[in-house]
Amino acid sequence: VTVATRLRESFADDRARIQASGRKAGSLLRVHEALMARPLTNLTTVAQHSGLSFPTVSSCMDALLTMGIVSEISGRNRNQVFTYDRYLTALGEPARSQVA
């Protein structure tokens, strides 16, 4: 129950921050929804799950990186892997150990 409550609060906090971001909020919220479904993912998967174009997802992910909502953990320029840190932290799963 504690983990579920922490997740719900984290999601609500992040959604509020995203909604305050202005014009891109709609696309950012769709990317956020995809991240809630798959907290360890890449741009192609987010594009498929959100219904947004790859360039839009890439731009949104850059914005979420700037906001501190996601982290890029692969260290690559192509085929990057992103993690929704607060989600994985709430689950008690260190995200950094997931990338080989």
Side-chain angles (χ1 to χ4, degrees):
V1 174
T2 304
V3 172
T5 301
R6 201 170 348 157
L7 281 173
R8 186 175 42 86
E9 290 169 355
S10 293
F11 292 159
D13 290 346
D14 290 341
R15 289 184 71 76
R17 290 176 54 206
I18 290 167
Q19 288 171 334
S21 67
R23 202 180 91 170
K24 286 181 77 171
S27 295
L28 288 169
L29 288 170
R30 288 172 66 181
V31 170
H32 184 250
E33 289 287 330
L35 287 166
M36 289 190 311
R38 298 183 66 107
L40 185 67
T41 192
N42 60 38
L43 296 176
T44 302
T45 302
V46 173
Q48 291 169 346
H49 287 271
S50 68
L52 298 169
S53 70
F54 187 89
T56 298
V57 169
S58 180
S59 174
C60 287
M61 205 61 84
D62 286 342
L64 294 175
L65 277 165
T66 300
M67 296 170 82
I69 293 175
V70 299
S71 296
E72 196 286 318
I73 60 172
S74 66
R76 299 182 290 221
N77 290 328
R78 297 186 59 141
N79 301 317
Q80 295 174 310
V81 177
F82 296 88
T83 183
Y84 188 179
D85 288 331
R86 288 178 75 182
Y87 189 152
L88 295 179
T89 300
L91 295 177
E93 180 179 326
R96 307 245 183 251
S97 67
Q98 297 291 322
V99 176

